[in-house]
């Protein structure tokens, strides 16, 4: 499976998910990072809502979240970021049919 196909599969899985973490006007702090890390361990695929009061673009915030939590950005649309853990991304990207 190519990275593009892996991304499509993860987006299909994320379609019915609701954002479980919200990044607000305080931005990214230790509590947000810990919560994202904990949820990724449990669910492997999560949505993060970046509220409009946050300083910075959602894409920049997504990159900072991914690097800080050791995860992969699946997609950024509007203020919603879809993240997955690296293990899931690697296994899907290398899967052969």
């Amino acid at each position: 499976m190519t990275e593009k196909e892996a991304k499509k599969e993860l987006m299909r899985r994320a379609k019915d998910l609701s954002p479980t973490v919200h990044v607000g006007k305080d931005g990214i702090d230790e509590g947000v990072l810990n919560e994202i890390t904990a949820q990724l361990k449990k669910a492997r695929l999560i949505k993060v809502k970046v509220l409009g009061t946050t300083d910075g673009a959602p894409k920049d915030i997504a990159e900072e979240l991914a690097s800080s939590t050791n995860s992969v950005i699946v997609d950024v649309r509007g203020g919603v970021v879809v993240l997955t853990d690296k293990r899931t991304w690697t296994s899907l990207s290398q899967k052969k049919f």
Side-chain angles (χ1 to χ4, degrees):
M1 185 179 286
T2 64
E3 286 190 7
K4 185 176 181 179
E5 291 169 334
K7 181 179 176 178
K8 282 175 104 173
E9 172 64 21
L10 288 171
M11 284 304 298
R12 185 187 63 75
R13 292 180 188 180
K15 181 181 175 187
D16 295 329
L17 294 177
S18 317
T20 54
V21 179
H22 292 51
V23 178
K25 65 182 178 183
D26 295 335
I28 300 169
D29 59 3
E30 200 63 36
V32 171
L33 296 176
N34 290 338
E35 184 63 27
I36 290 172
T37 304
Q39 287 191 21
L40 281 171
K41 281 183 182 178
K42 183 178 178 184
R44 294 189 170 194
L45 182 68
I46 64 168
K47 282 187 179 178
V48 178
K49 176 74 174 171
V50 179
L51 302 177
T53 57
T54 309
D55 293 336
K59 187 162 180 99
D60 298 334
I61 292 172
E63 290 171 1
E64 188 176 340
L65 288 173
S67 65
S68 299
T69 59
N70 198 23
S71 59
V72 177
I73 302 169
V74 177
D75 195 30
V76 179
R77 292 192 187 185
V80 179
V81 179
V82 180
L83 295 173
T84 189
D85 62 337
K86 285 193 175 188
R87 185 173 59 176
T88 303
W89 178 255
T90 304
S91 69
L92 271 178
S93 297
Q94 295 176 353
K95 196 173 194 178
K96 303 219 186 307
F97 289 100

